[in-house]
Amino acid sequence: GAGVSQSPRYKVAKRGQDVALRCDPISGHVSLFWYQQALGQGPEFLTYFQNEAQLDKSGLPSDRFFAERPEGSVSTLKIQRTQQEDSAVYLCASGPVGVPSYEQYFGPGTRLTVT
Amino acid sequence: AQSVTQLDSHVSVSEGTPVLLRCNYSSSYSPSLFWYVQHPNKGLQLLLKYTSAATLVKGINGFEAEFKKSETSFHLTKPSAHMSDAAEYFCVVSDLTSGGYQKVTFGTGTKLQVIP
């Protein structure tokens, strides 16, 4: 079956540009997470959705970052006025239910490079 | 608040010798704990998970981990390293928040090098 997919896989943006990163979770998965993974670091939590509800956005580093999941399936992470420190791999993960014992299934990530 | 500490950023072992990757956690409630592996330019893959059943958990590729509540540890072991085990390993804690939803925290990762 299809796993989590993300697009684009690679994105190069000039500083100041807006970008939109897409995540297609596994069909029927309730939970959806976004993470930011800087080079040589572990994934850092950005935000969490349960269906279409954004229950936790405490990890979003600034108000330039915005995420949505309007119909409870596909999610988009938008970064406005990109800065060089935004360069990282952005990972999306989905899970079957919103309880802590269920593992997450990760997408391949989008590598964002801001020049 | 929950946290995860991976005590070694790099571990180097010879092929065929045991592997030990250390992880300590803190959590207010009863957490679930996971180990994920990330090979270069590949996605994160679940190795194993602990969810309050047996404290010794067996995973894929011969890995296992033991949950020790008294030591708040969840160390990952393998009896004999293989070259294909060279990767980065992440310890992860997951718990319910007071709001009733899942909170997930990753450790900073341990890079495992396997020497032929």
Side-chain angles (χ1 to χ4, degrees):
Chain A
V4 178
S5 60
Q6 293 186 245
S7 60
R9 291 293 311 279
Y10 302 91
K11 176 71 179 175
V12 179
K14 289 197 169 129
R15 192 160 53 105
Q17 281 184 332
D18 298 348
V19 298
L21 312 180
R22 178 187 168 108
C23 172
D24 284 82
I26 293 172
S27 177
H29 274 191
V30 169
S31 297
L32 188 145
F33 298 79
W34 282 99
Y35 295 90
Q36 181 189 61
Q37 186 174 21
L39 190 64
Q41 304 293 318
E44 295 274 351
F45 169 81
L46 291 177
T47 188
Y48 167 69
F49 289 86
Q50 196 168 97
N51 296 307
E52 69 279 2
Q54 189 176 21
L55 297 187
D56 190 341
K57 52 183 181 180
S58 62
L60 296 176
S62 77
D63 58 8
R64 296 186 295 105
F65 287 71
F66 172 76
E68 60 183 5
R69 194 185 184 197
E71 296 176 1
S73 55
V74 170
S75 178
T76 304
L77 176 67
K78 297 179 179 176
I79 309 173
Q80 297 176 323
R81 304 181 304 281
T82 52
Q83 305 294 316
Q84 283 194 314
E85 62 262 27
D86 300 335
S87 295
V89 175
Y90 290 85
L91 296 168
C92 174
S94 70
V97 290
V99 294
S101 59
Y102 282 86
E103 66 266 29
Q104 300 167 72
Y105 297 82
F106 283 85
T110 295
R111 184 179 297 276
L112 172 65
T113 303
V114 182
T115 60
Chain B
Q2 61 188 28
S3 66
V4 179
T5 302
Q6 290 185 245
L7 296 151
D8 306 295
S9 58
H10 290 82
V11 169
S12 184
V13 301
S14 297
E15 190 177 18
T17 64
V19 176
L20 170 64
L21 305 183
R22 298 182 293 167
C23 173
N24 286 92
Y25 71 93
S26 72
S27 175
S28 303
Y29 303 102
S30 296
S32 294
L33 294 156
F34 306 82
W35 278 97
Y36 283 83
V37 61
Q38 189 174 39
H39 290 273
N41 299 314
K42 295 277 181 70
L44 283 154
Q45 181 185 17
L46 179 70
L47 272 182
L48 49 81
K49 67 177 183 178
Y50 165 77
T51 58
S52 76
T55 56
L56 183 62
V57 181
K58 293 189 185 299
I60 61 171
N61 300 335
F63 283 94
E64 60 183 40
E66 186 171 7
F67 173 72
K68 291 187 177 179
K69 188 172 182 179
S70 60
E71 298 176 11
T72 60
S73 69
F74 190 58
H75 301 334
L76 182 70
T77 60
K78 182 172 180 177
S80 176
H82 191 272
M83 293 300 296
S84 60
D85 295 329
E88 187 149 25
Y89 293 79
F90 294 97
C91 183
V92 178
V93 62
S94 175
D95 209 338
L96 275 181
T97 68
S98 55
Y101 60 86
Q102 190 177 9
K103 183 76 175 182
V104 178
T105 303
F106 275 73
T108 50
T110 298
K111 283 201 175 86
L112 176 64
Q113 180 186 20
V114 182
I115 302 166

